[in-house]
Amino acid sequence: MSSFQDLLVIELAHIYNGPYCGLMFAHLGADVVKVEPLSGERLRGRARGDADPQEFIMLNSNKKSVALDLKSKEGHEALLGLVDAADVLIENYSPGALERMGLAPEVLLERNPRLIVASGKGYGSSGPYAAMPAMDLTVQAMSGTIATSGLSDGPPVKAGPAFTDLSGGIHLFGAAMAALYERERTGHGRLVEVSMHDTIYPMLTSALSGLYNYPDRDLPERTGNRHSGLAMAPYNVYEAADGWLAIITTADEHWTGLCRALDLEPLLEDPRFATKHLRADHMEDLDAAISAVTATLTRDAIVERLEAHRVPCAPVKGLREVDNDPHLIARGMIRYIDHPNNGRVPTVGNPLRVSPEVGTAPLTHAPTIGQDQAEVLGRILGMSAEAAERLRKP
């Protein structure tokens, strides 16, 4: 039995950022109640036909749904009733939105001093960018992600995954957990805030290091698949006979192993490649030599050779390969559910390996809008089923 089962988490959130934070709590066994507008949270709007959007299915397992019009007196009061009983409230509304509805963090904390208000924002609630509209793409642009992605002679390119949204959600979960730990000692809740934009700066460590480690060199912002600071080689994605492969050498034994695995022993005697700094200085020549060999071999053959010499490498997997990845399936990160509208579909497992008992229970599918209205409002607020259902009507 999970020790999180006694936590009531109100998820007043939409799209990816807040819902992923809520999913972490749901995986650990917390009672996560998703409070949605009467028409459903915004991610539901991506549905085509009768099928539910896969992105909503993937981020909302093991949650319950209550639909409330927070602009109405009845819906507003119902939410505050849930707040009175809650341990955590997750929100990622735009700055000022909750305040305009009379639900500012200080109002919520005054009602429930033990509450943790976990606020996910694009740029935070302070600073010059605070009022800017924020989505994953715009935060990637403002954070330097797009400027540093792509080839040196090409245009800037966004990262494929919506990682700023998810990074914000992961950090928000950590902040909420830290506040819950503090509450055990003080008895008091607090507001915690995470800016998606803030979480990306430390991820630029390698790229920013180029500014300071090589102040006299004119380094490109975009380095393709090479090291962001151009301080390491071999470090690249190399073409194979049937695809692509990533290879990185961080230690001299990796370099030696690579040369022996790919029959490139003469490079070990080449003065251009004698040290890691020289290899970085001559990475164009080095990559050309490696590519000449990898292009003649399959991905599997290269991996087999390099792994025999303990050289870090990996095939570049396509989405269809990832969708059926045996490692992710074996670890329970890809889990399958029977969805009433979509049939058998994959969903997101729990990456937090707390213990064998936590996060491995059967998953429930993402709820329909207001699916748990009567049960949640009846159990927590003592509301009749009829009164609870009336709140779902405009």
Side-chain angles (χ1 to χ4, degrees):
M1 188 69 71
S2 168
S3 60
F4 285 75
Q5 64 179 330
D6 296 327
L7 283 181
L8 174 60
V9 178
I10 306 301
E11 184 187 296
L12 199 62
H14 55 268
I15 311 294
Y16 291 175
N17 178 281
Y20 190 64
C21 177
L23 183 63
M24 294 294 94
F25 278 106
H27 274 315
L28 293 176
D31 185 8
V32 179
V33 176
K34 189 176 185 72
V35 177
E36 306 186 61
L38 300 186
S39 58
E41 76 119 300
R42 289 162 57 187
L43 198 55
R44 292 186 188 268
R46 298 184 187 179
R48 291 177 179 267
D50 295 330
D52 288 344
Q54 178 65 19
E55 49 267 66
F56 185 84
I57 292 172
M58 292 180 72
L59 296 182
N60 290 284
S61 297
N62 286 27
K63 299 178 186 179
K64 298 172 182 176
S65 173
V66 169
L68 299 174
D69 178 4
L70 299 183
K71 296 180 181 178
S72 72
K73 179 182 177 182
E74 296 79 9
H76 190 271
E77 289 179 350
L79 177 68
L80 290 178
L82 293 174
V83 165
D84 290 341
D87 296 284
V88 180
L89 183 141
I90 301 166
E91 69 89 13
N92 68 319
Y93 278 48
S94 59
L98 289 186
E99 286 79 359
R100 289 191 293 272
M101 290 187 285
L103 298 170
E106 54 267 25
V107 172
L108 303 179
L109 287 166
E110 184 175 352
R111 284 191 66 104
N112 181 356
R114 287 179 54 81
L115 181 69
I116 308 301
V117 179
S119 179
K121 293 287 179 276
Y123 301 105
S125 58
S126 63
Y129 305 157
M132 289 181 61
M135 298 294 285
D136 185 83
L137 179 65
T138 60
V139 175
Q140 284 200 33
M142 291 294 286
S143 67
T145 298
I146 294 180
T148 55
S149 299
L151 299 174
S152 60
D153 58 352
V157 179
K158 82 172 186 70
F163 82 102
T164 71
D165 261 327
L166 276 292
S167 175
I170 294 165
H171 283 81
L172 192 60
F173 173 76
M177 289 299 297
L180 284 169
Y181 178 78
E182 179 190 50
R183 192 183 72 172
E184 289 299 302
R185 284 162 160 67
T186 67
H188 300 295
R190 65 164 60 242
L191 167 68
V192 295
E193 178 189 273
V194 170
S195 151
M196 292 159 56
H197 184 251
D198 286 350
T199 70
I200 306 307
Y201 182 75
M203 298 185 190
L204 295 174
T205 295
S206 291
L208 290 169
S209 70
L211 296 179
Y212 299 99
N213 291 340
Y214 305 99
D216 299 327
R217 287 171 59 182
D218 184 20
L219 296 178
E221 285 193 312
R222 291 181 291 285
T223 59
N225 294 310
R226 288 172 169 161
H227 184 261
S228 297
L230 295 180
M232 197 179 301
Y235 182 124
N236 211 336
V237 170
Y238 301 89
E239 189 170 9
D242 60 348
W244 298 85
L245 188 96
I247 302 173
I248 175 175
T249 61
T250 62
D252 285 339
E253 54 264 34
H254 296 152
W255 162 242
T256 302
L258 180 144
C259 291
R260 290 172 177 164
L262 299 183
D263 299 323
L264 291 170
E265 285 92 342
L267 298 185
L268 294 173
E269 307 301 324
D270 193 317
R272 293 174 299 169
F273 311 133
T275 69
K276 62 182 178 181
H277 297 300
L278 287 170
R279 291 193 287 274
D281 291 341
H282 296 92
M283 63 177 60
E284 291 284 353
D285 294 338
L286 186 52
D287 281 345
I290 294 170
S291 295
V293 176
T294 60
T296 67
L297 302 169
T298 64
R299 294 188 314 176
D300 289 346
I302 299 168
V303 168
E304 183 178 359
R305 288 190 184 198
L306 292 177
E307 286 188 344
H309 290 269
R310 306 295 296 168
V311 179
C313 65
V316 176
K317 290 195 171 187
L319 285 179
R320 294 193 182 280
E321 292 177 287
V322 173
D323 185 45
N324 296 287
D325 189 288
H327 185 78
L328 292 174
I329 292 171
R331 286 182 57 80
M333 265 313 296
I334 298 176
R335 299 181 65 181
Y336 295 90
I337 58 171
D338 293 314
H339 190 274
N341 294 330
N342 297 42
R344 187 165 176 78
V345 292
T347 190
V348 178
N350 181 14
L352 305 175
R353 315 304 287 192
V354 179
S355 75
E357 291 77 30
V358 176
T360 56
L363 293 181
T364 60
H365 63 75
T368 57
I369 303 170
Q371 172 183 298
D372 308 283
Q373 194 92 354
E375 186 275 322
V376 170
L377 299 184
R379 171 168 53 88
I380 298 176
L381 304 185
M383 190 178 292
S384 69
E386 294 75 16
E389 291 300 324
R390 277 199 299 272
L391 291 175
R392 296 180 63 181
K393 296 180 171 60

